[in-house]
Each structure stands twice: as structure tokens, then as C-alpha cells.
Amino acid sequence: GDSVTQTEGQVALSEEDFLTIHCNYSASGYPALFWYVQYPGEGPQFLFRASRDKEKGSSRGFEATYDKGTTSFHLRKASVQESDSAVYYCALGPYTGNYKYVFGAGTRLKVIA
Amino acid sequence: GPKVLQIPSHQIIDMGQMVTLNCDPVSNHLYFYWYKQILGQQMEFLVNFYNGKVMEKSKLFKDQFSVERPDGSYFTLKIQPTALEDSAVYFCASSGRTGGAREQYFGPGTRLTVL
């Protein structure tokens, strides 16, 4: 079945550090790819998406580029802030004949001031 | 932004009892979802519901689970009977667009504790 792999379970950074969270996917179709962010006690919040190869999604200084060749959608931010501390989920979404979303295991980001 | 509400926020019940989790989705949304998240673990898809029907469900969506949205009111997840392994946070989500890349809006979750 379809799957999403996030390499890092936890990431600890200092403010203004560069962030990369790796996301690789496997799907039998051509899915949309998403990043969500979850703060303690809340449900995940949509960050951004990309629907086709080479498309870049971005929001709040975060960005990721859909790479069909390497089946990746890595999350990056040039300069993190303490308020970015949260759990980040990569997900793949529906495509023809499939209505299911598949989430990665999540990456817990802790930013130290 | 659009809000999804979930009632109750926390439910404690004895194993074998029935429980209904309620979700008030974004008003013009058409697609509805339930996810299960055991503490510290990843979000697991349970079911997708559209136009009064289950479109897709996962292996976690056991026979004891059912969903419905009667007359456009709450979207509900019913578990009957409950088991200890059903203890988790259940998230409801909704999305509006027909086809293509649909972002989901999530509620704050219902923490279910089965004793």
C-alpha cells in the first residue's frame, strides 16, 4: 500500500538555524503531497500542498518541492523560531481511484531560544 | 480560518459500552474523515465519508465501528462495543473540494479512554 516515511523522529535546533525534515513517499498513483503542523492539544493544521512534479508549496516561511524522480517532499525553513516548535506531518492525498490520506509518523521539532 | 468542532473533548467509558463521537465539520464541506492517534504515535486513517457513503476505510475501521451524518447534522463515529485498544485520540476532519488536492481541516480531537 501507499506509505510516507519521515526520516527524523525528533529535531532540536537553535533559533535562526536552518531546518530540513525529510519526507519520502511511495504511491501507486500520482498523489498530492501535504505538510501539516500539530501543536500540543490541537488537531493538525494544513501548512501547504503541492499537486504535481516540480511544484513548490510554501507557507509561513516553510517550503517544499514535489520531486517525483526521488519521490520526496522535504520541508525546509531558512531560519526557525521558538514558535515553530511543533510536530510536522508529511502526508499524501487522494488520486484517481483512491480516497485515502496517508500520514507519515511525524517529526517533533524543538527550537531553543 | 474554518473550524471543525468535536464533542466531547474527553470521554471515559467501560469496556463493552457504546460510545458516539461527534464532529461538527466546516459548513460547506463535502468530505469527512476520522483518524485515530494513540498517544505519541502517528495519525492513522480510519474512514472517508462522502454523500452519505463510506468511500474508503482502513483495516483499523473494525466491524464495531460505524459512521453517519444524518440530515446534514453532526458527523458521528460510533463504536459498539468498545475495547481497551480503542483508547486513543480521535480526530475528525473535513474538506470541501470535489476531486484534486483537497486540504483537510481538523478538529481538536476527542480523547477516548476505555477502562
Side-chain angles (χ1 to χ4, degrees), chain B residues 2 12 21 26 51 65 67 72-73 81 91-92 95 98 105 108-109 111:
Chain B
I12 302 173
L21 309 184
V26 177
N51 198 25
F65 287 39
V67 291
S73 59
F91 290 100
C92 171
S95 65
T98 55
Y105 292 86
R111 181 177 299 279

Side-chain angles (χ1 to χ4, degrees), chain A residues 65-88:
Chain A
T65 299
Y66 194 136
D67 190 328
K68 197 162 181 281
T70 59
T71 61
S72 66
F73 193 53
H74 305 318
L75 181 68
R76 294 186 166 93
K77 187 175 186 184
S79 175
V80 294
Q81 303 300 312
E82 192 176 9
S83 57
D84 294 327
S85 297
V87 179
Y88 292 81

Side-chain angles (χ1 to χ4, degrees), chain A residues 4 32 34 36 38 41-46 49-51 89 94 97-106 108, chain B residues 31 33 35 37 40-43 45 48 55-58 91 95 97 100-109:
Chain A
V4 175
F34 300 80
Y36 286 83
Q38 184 177 29
E42 298 181 13
Q45 294 176 22
F46 170 71
R49 69 173 172 274
S51 303
Y89 290 98
N98 170 54
Y99 296 93
K100 193 167 60 176
Y101 290 78
V102 177
F103 280 73
R108 184 174 301 277
Chain B
Y31 294 82
Y33 311 83
Y35 291 83
Q37 186 176 41
Q41 299 185 23
Q42 70 186 92
M43 299 265 297
F45 168 83
N48 175 352
M55 302 302 290
E56 188 152 0
K57 58 185 180 181
S58 72
F91 290 100
S95 65
R97 293 162 59 180
R102 305 184 292 267
E103 67 270 24
Q104 299 175 299
Y105 292 86
F106 285 83

Side-chain angles (χ1 to χ4, degrees), chain B residues 59-96:
Chain B
K59 284 183 268 193
L60 294 178
F61 194 79
K62 306 179 294 185
D63 291 343
Q64 298 91 321
F65 287 39
S66 63
V67 291
E68 63 175 356
R69 192 180 187 219
D71 300 324
S73 59
Y74 286 151
F75 175 51
T76 62
L77 173 66
K78 184 187 294 186
I79 309 174
Q80 180 178 29
T82 51
L84 294 176
E85 60 265 26
D86 296 331
S87 293
V89 179
Y90 289 83
F91 290 100
C92 171
S94 69
S95 65

